[in-house]
Amino acid sequence: MDLQQLERELLPLTTYAIPVVLGSVLLEFWLTRHDEEHRYQSQDFWSSVGIGAGSLVINAILKTTVFGLALFFYKLVPWRIETRWWTWILAYALIDFCNYFAHFIAHKQRVWWATHVTHHSSEHLNFSTAFRNSWTQHLKLIFFIPAWITGINPVVILTCYQIDLLYQFWIHTEMIHKLPRWFEFFFVTPSHHRVHHGSNDRYIDKNFGSSLIIWDRMFGTFQEEDETPVYGLTKPVESFNPVYLNFHVWVDIGRDLQRAKSIKEAWNILFGPPV
């Protein structure tokens, strides 16, 4: 398999999903238009759109790089796993776990938080909040190397990655309340993800799962939604500027590194807790 073959075989699922995504945003906007508490706030919405548009451009520019990395690591290992029905389940579980781990680290170390903080910058939660994907999030691709070296066909891995990404869109809403208990036990739901976006003390650093909530249950990071979430950062960012929202933590890190007096201090600035 070469890069051109990979690009031909991989379906652009995220592109196909655009009408559904836009339709969902319009429906939610219409349903909440008279709801003072949940309706869309103009500046916040356009800030999310600006961040999302920038993210789409960056994704398009880096698409070939991502494909190239996936192929590089696939060819690096001598073993192969034949593509069967169960291979798709295995690949999806691997991708979802890599997402969980990358998400967890992004909340624990400052340099990785800089690639994720943009997503938590809104004080509202609606479908448009899902657009707030950091312009530097591709740095976290290193966390997906374990999936790439399994010997599973890169088309399968990257397709599962797209599905896992698309799944995360619908959980950014307050319009969907609790779902059946069996579903809430295995899968990430809007209720679970509202907790993750909450800045309440009991909600901070909880529910990192993308599609499967079982990782949080297994590793002790699960929290039930049992009080009304207060969305946004513990230290609010008083700006709607997409550029500022993407880079303000990077600027702070750069400023602190200039004042660092030792390698140890610089290391702690980069890999210490975000706060």
Side-chain angles (χ1 to χ4, degrees), residues 133-192:
N133 292 316
S134 170
W135 297 350
T136 57
Q137 67 175 335
H138 284 85
L139 293 174
K140 296 200 292 283
L141 285 174
I142 64 170
F143 293 104
F144 293 88
I145 293 176
W148 292 339
I149 61 172
T150 56
I152 297 175
N153 191 312
V155 173
V156 175
I157 292 290
L158 291 172
T159 300
C160 289
Y161 179 83
Q162 288 186 89
I163 297 171
D164 203 45
L165 178 65
L166 290 171
Y167 182 96
Q168 295 171 62
F169 169 75
W170 77 280
I171 60 178
H172 290 85
T173 185
E174 295 187 279
M175 299 299 293
I176 301 173
H177 302 290
K178 293 281 187 175
L179 294 172
R181 290 183 64 182
W182 69 267
F183 193 90
E184 296 255 350
F185 186 84
F186 290 104
F187 299 100
V188 178
T189 66
S191 175
H192 297 148

Side-chain angles (χ1 to χ4, degrees), residues 42 200 262 269:
S42 178
N200 316 44
S262 66
I269 289 169

Side-chain angles (χ1 to χ4, degrees), residues 57-268:
V57 171
I58 292 169
N59 288 346
I61 293 172
L62 295 180
K63 182 179 73 172
T64 301
T65 301
V66 174
F67 291 176
L69 283 171
L71 267 179
F72 171 79
F73 286 104
Y74 176 69
K75 293 181 177 180
L76 197 63
V77 296
W79 56 81
R80 296 288 179 267
I81 296 180
E82 187 178 355
T83 302
R84 302 286 187 90
W85 65 267
W86 54 266
T87 315
W88 287 89
I89 298 174
L90 175 61
Y92 196 88
L94 281 168
I95 285 294
D96 199 68
F97 178 74
C98 289
N99 254 326
Y100 169 85
F101 185 70
H103 198 176
F104 176 85
I105 293 296
H107 279 250
K108 298 298 183 181
Q109 295 182 341
R110 193 179 181 195
V111 69
W112 299 115
W113 176 242
T115 71
H116 182 60
V117 63
T118 312
H119 189 64
H120 285 268
S121 57
S122 176
E123 295 181 3
H124 305 273
L125 190 76
N126 50 55
F127 286 142
S128 74
T129 311
F131 300 161
R132 293 188 178 227
N133 292 316
S134 170
W135 297 350
T136 57
Q137 67 175 335
H138 284 85
L139 293 174
K140 296 200 292 283
L141 285 174
I142 64 170
F143 293 104
F144 293 88
I145 293 176
W148 292 339
I149 61 172
T150 56
I152 297 175
N153 191 312
V155 173
V156 175
I157 292 290
L158 291 172
T159 300
C160 289
Y161 179 83
Q162 288 186 89
I163 297 171
D164 203 45
L165 178 65
L166 290 171
Y167 182 96
Q168 295 171 62
F169 169 75
W170 77 280
I171 60 178
H172 290 85
T173 185
E174 295 187 279
M175 299 299 293
I176 301 173
H177 302 290
K178 293 281 187 175
L179 294 172
R181 290 183 64 182
W182 69 267
F183 193 90
E184 296 255 350
F185 186 84
F186 290 104
F187 299 100
V188 178
T189 66
S191 175
H192 297 148
H193 206 61
R194 286 193 290 271
V195 167
H196 181 71
H197 275 264
S199 59
N200 316 44
D201 287 343
R202 65 190 286 102
Y203 287 173
I204 292 176
D205 292 350
K206 298 296 183 181
N207 298 0
F208 296 104
S210 298
S211 295
L212 303 175
I213 201 65
I214 55 174
W215 311 121
D216 290 285
R217 296 186 186 278
M218 290 170 60
F219 298 113
T221 53
F222 176 74
Q223 173 61 51
E224 194 75 41
E225 183 184 24
D226 53 17
E227 64 182 42
T228 302
V230 178
Y231 303 116
L233 301 169
T234 54
K235 182 181 179 182
V237 182
E238 297 180 359
S239 174
F240 295 102
N241 185 316
V243 176
Y244 181 84
L245 291 173
N246 272 281
F247 296 109
H248 68 99
V249 173
W250 288 111
V251 171
D252 291 343
I253 289 174
R255 187 181 297 118
D256 290 344
L257 284 174
Q258 288 180 334
R259 293 197 293 260
K261 298 178 181 179
S262 66
I263 294 176
K264 181 179 179 181
E265 189 175 346
W267 177 270
N268 288 335

